[in-house]
Amino acid sequence: MRHLVLLPLLILLVSCSVSIEDYEGTEPQFDFKRFFNGELVAYGIVQDYSGMVTRRFKVDMQGSWDGNKGILDEQFYYLGGEQDGEQSTRVWYLELGENGKVFGRADDVVGQAEGKVVGNALHWQYSLRIPYGDDTITVALDDWMFLVTETRLINRTAIDKFGVEVGEITLVIEKR
């Protein structure tokens, strides 16, 4: 009997998931190459599984493109707490494909990030090696970006380990 109750709930949960295609026709149209070109600045937080903010940071970004291949240089500055003053760098090597496809690689990305832009949204997923104690662990990132205005974007990323959400990143990115 318990299985008969759980099955409809599981079907409901699966059928309620959002697809990138749900953003077809939304405005403003997210031109990934145009937005991530030139100087940008971002402010963000990392939250753990309970919702507690564990890190705050600023990111200075510089994007440049040659055709459909781009480089996005990110300089992270951590604010407050034990990480105050800590800095790190991530350089993305990006490529735009057909039908809104976006691909990216970086030194701390395992394999390749893959996603798609539709309307005002980008959804992409990838695995990332992050510091953990004296070592690193690999987590899965489910990344959603939403263009709010031509110069402002909101980014929400779920952080998963072994299929369980263990944290979340929220960013506001602005063109300078």
Side-chain angles (χ1 to χ4, degrees):
M1 180 68 176
R2 185 172 68 192
H3 296 293
L4 292 175
V5 173
L6 291 178
L7 184 59
L9 288 175
L10 182 59
I11 291 170
L12 180 64
L13 286 174
V14 171
S15 66
C16 290
S17 64
V18 175
S19 164
I20 188 65
E21 304 303 332
D22 294 337
Y23 292 94
E24 183 71 42
T26 57
E27 296 287 335
Q29 188 70 32
F30 187 7
D31 182 330
F32 186 89
K33 182 176 170 180
R34 185 176 59 195
F35 186 83
F36 286 106
N37 190 44
E39 292 184 24
L40 302 106
V41 64
Y43 293 90
I45 59 171
V46 178
Q47 294 171 274
D48 67 13
Y49 65 93
S50 72
M52 174 67 78
V53 174
T54 59
R55 297 192 98 172
R56 296 179 295 124
F57 58 93
K58 174 187 176 197
V59 188
D60 288 327
M61 301 178 195
Q62 179 68 44
S64 61
W65 293 85
D66 183 11
N68 281 337
K69 294 190 179 198
I71 295 175
L72 183 62
D73 187 338
E74 300 177 323
Q75 302 296 317
F76 290 80
Y77 304 94
Y78 295 93
L79 312 167
E82 293 177 18
Q83 298 87 23
D84 194 24
E86 182 182 331
Q87 297 180 21
S88 65
T89 300
R90 176 175 302 119
V91 178
W92 282 99
Y93 298 92
L94 303 164
E95 186 170 350
L96 301 179
E98 295 181 12
N99 300 318
K101 296 282 185 163
V102 180
F103 305 95
R105 294 187 182 279
D107 286 344
D108 54 353
V109 171
V110 178
Q112 177 174 262
E114 297 184 13
K116 185 175 181 181
V117 175
V118 174
N120 68 354
L122 163 75
H123 180 223
W124 75 342
Q125 298 173 311
Y126 55 99
S127 295
L128 185 71
R129 283 185 303 276
I130 60 171
Y132 187 77
D134 293 333
D135 202 2
T136 62
I137 61 171
T138 300
V139 294
L141 299 182
D142 187 24
D143 204 349
W144 285 88
M145 297 181 191
F146 300 95
L147 191 63
V148 178
T149 69
E150 293 297 323
T151 60
R152 189 168 292 122
L153 179 145
I154 296 175
N155 185 175
R156 181 189 176 278
T157 305
I159 307 168
D160 290 357
K161 184 68 180 166
F162 303 121
V164 176
E165 188 170 322
V166 296
E168 184 176 305
I169 303 166
T170 306
L171 285 170
V172 174
I173 305 172
E174 297 182 336
K175 291 186 68 67
R176 289 189 175 173

